[in-house]
Amino acid sequence: MKAAVCHKYGPPETVALEEVQKPTPRDDEVLIKIYATSLNLSDWEMLTGTPFYTRTTWGLFKSRFKILGSDVAGRVEAVGRKVTRFEPGDEVFGDIMGSFGGFAEYACAREGVLTLKPAKMTFEDVSVLPQAGVIALRGILDKGQLQAGQKVLINGAGGGSGTFAVQLAKSFGAEVTAVDNTEKQDFMRSNGADHVVDYTKEDFTKNGRRYDLILDLVAHRSLFDNRRALAPSGTYLLVGGSAKRLYQALVLGPIISMFGSKKMSLLIVNPKQNDNVRLLELVESGSIVPIIDRRYPLSGVPDALRHVGEGHALGKVVVTM
Ligand SMILES: NC(=O)c1ccc[n+]([C@@H]2O[C@H](COP(=O)([O-])OP(=O)(O)OC[C@H]3O[C@@H](n4cnc5c(N)ncnc54)[C@H](OP(=O)(O)O)[C@@H]3O)[C@@H](O)[C@H]2O)c1
């Protein structure tokens, strides 16, 4: 089969289309013929090996995974002998982070992370949901517990997870401030944000405004700066960002939360806690709408990675097979 393969950490040019062996499903896995795989910033992080903490998970000098891509959608071609929920021919989607392999014609996945695709949705549309959707779902509703009328700020709001987070917060009646780079300001407004901030020109922690919830998708400011921007009893959730900010939230977050009414912590999502059905319900109710910026063929994976990694994507980017 054909796959976009990278043998070492590096720039998008490190990735090349190669002929590789088709994977064989283990007993608890299904083999999927992939039709669409959406990109996440985590693909870029695995490609480049930055922030450095990602290497503690994926490999210090080279990644354990040669084929990136985790949000897949396709048709089941074969099933392992212990698989009970799917059979060949089923149309499925899910986040296979942990094994990766989505930028290829076929990939294997544990049945637990997969969900049946509704007939009325396209493979492309369901492929954009799992990782970005679940970050928004947990950040805004489950852990964020955002209420109607509250003020939320989403940092990195023009990317994949941010686009869903803005939509979700608006649909639950919040007042939304969206922060991202200059070229994403109009897009964030059109996606429903009440206020937009260009992070290249303004520091949202220094303008005197206060928020009930800050969802920080790309943390670069200190925990103390973010604390200042929280309303009394406000919550700060760090999803991703620099290693320094991540460790700060890990160590200092619980201490700050213990003393005082403001809560600060990391938000970690685990693909094994499959929330795809809840995401489909949110699509059905109109609370979230997949927005696909660009589509690339399998041979275009390097360009797709560059488009996302350099921060140009307005919503999601999809590779179609
Ligand atoms: N915690 C977990 O379990 C978990 C799991 C998976 C992924 N993640 C994290 O989730 C995050 C979001 O991923 P995604 O796929 O939605 O990313 P994405 O689509 O690339 O969006 C990120 C956006 O943030 C912008 N940005 C970069 N630096 C910024 C800054 N200083 N201030 C404001 N905006 C900034 C980017 O644009 P520019 O770069 O051009 O400025 C881009 O528009 C990533 O950090 C990823 O590591 C966390």
Side-chain angles (χ1 to χ4, degrees):
M1 69 165 188
K2 286 192 174 52
V5 182
C6 57
H7 295 280
K8 57 181 182 186
Y9 291 123
E13 299 74 49
T14 322
V15 182
L17 201 59
E18 290 181 15
E19 197 64 41
V20 299
Q21 193 156 6
K22 193 170 157 181
T24 309
R26 294 199 189 108
D27 287 353
D28 60 345
E29 288 182 339
V30 306
L31 175 69
I32 307 165
K33 163 102 187 75
I34 300 175
Y35 291 111
T37 299
S38 82
L39 280 83
N40 294 288
L41 198 58
S42 45
D43 294 309
W44 176 259
E45 292 169 347
M46 253 190 75
L47 169 76
T48 57
T50 55
F52 196 77
Y53 65 80
T54 55
R55 297 191 186 210
T56 56
T57 312
W58 310 124
L60 208 51
F61 301 109
K62 64 176 188 180
S63 171
R64 286 189 283 134
F65 303 103
K66 292 188 171 54
I67 305 171
L68 306 179
S70 58
D71 277 359
V72 300
R75 187 169 282 117
V76 174
E77 180 152 303
V79 298
R81 64 183 177 85
K82 289 189 186 155
V83 170
T84 57
R85 292 175 48 230
F86 301 105
E87 55 186 46
D90 284 347
E91 296 181 343
V92 296
F93 71 102
D95 181 356
I96 61 169
M97 199 173 184
S99 58
F100 289 92
F103 298 145
E105 290 175 315
Y106 295 88
C108 288
R110 291 230 165 88
E111 66 170 338
V113 301
L114 297 174
T115 301
L116 283 174
K117 175 183 92 61
K120 61 186 171 190
M121 285 184 75
T122 65
F123 286 110
E124 294 177 17
D125 278 350
V126 290
S127 79
V128 306
L129 292 178
Q131 196 177 116
V134 96
I135 288 174
L137 177 64
R138 296 224 188 283
I140 296 297
L141 300 184
D142 295 356
K143 204 156 178 201
Q145 300 193 331
L146 195 65
Q147 314 276 323
Q150 285 190 324
K151 292 186 168 83
V152 59
L153 180 137
I154 297 156
N155 192 42
S161 317
T163 302
F164 284 136
V166 170
Q167 296 171 351
L168 204 51
K170 279 305 296 174
S171 85
F172 279 79
E175 184 181 327
V176 180
T177 299
V179 185
D180 214 303
N181 65 35
T182 313
E183 71 180 287
K184 298 194 176 184
Q185 302 295 297
D186 288 343
F187 170 72
M188 294 191 297
R189 264 191 217 96
S190 70
N191 191 40
D194 299 290
H195 316 282
V196 290
V197 175
D198 180 346
Y199 80 85
T200 65
K201 296 185 179 138
E202 187 182 341
D203 183 341
F204 71 84
T205 63
K206 295 202 170 109
N207 62 16
R209 298 194 189 98
R210 303 283 178 266
Y211 302 93
D212 300 294
L213 173 66
I214 296 176
L215 184 63
D216 202 348
L217 300 164
V218 275
H220 290 288
R221 291 183 183 80
S222 84
L223 218 57
F224 300 103
D225 285 345
N226 279 292
R227 186 172 180 271
R228 192 173 51 233
L230 281 179
S233 306
T235 300
Y236 170 83
L237 295 175
L238 187 153
V239 179
S242 72
K244 187 174 171 188
R245 297 310 174 208
L246 198 111
Y247 291 126
Q248 205 177 42
L250 191 67
V251 176
L252 296 179
I255 300 170
I256 292 174
S257 304
M258 222 183 311
F259 302 100
S261 58
K262 298 179 182 180
K263 303 286 173 239
M264 307 191 86
S265 64
L266 279 178
L267 173 68
I268 294 170
V269 297
N270 181 355
K272 285 184 192 151
Q273 295 172 321
N274 183 340
D275 258 324
N276 294 336
V277 171
R278 284 177 75 199
L279 293 173
L280 290 175
E281 286 165 4
L282 290 170
V283 173
E284 182 74 27
S285 66
S287 293
I288 56 172
V289 180
I291 296 180
I292 298 175
D293 175 28
R294 286 191 188 179
R295 293 158 177 84
Y296 291 84
L298 188 56
S299 58
V301 166
D303 293 333
L305 284 162
R306 192 177 296 105
H307 189 59
V308 171
E310 292 179 355
H312 303 304
L314 305 174
K316 294 289 290 182
V317 169
V318 177
V319 171
T320 55
M321 267 59 83

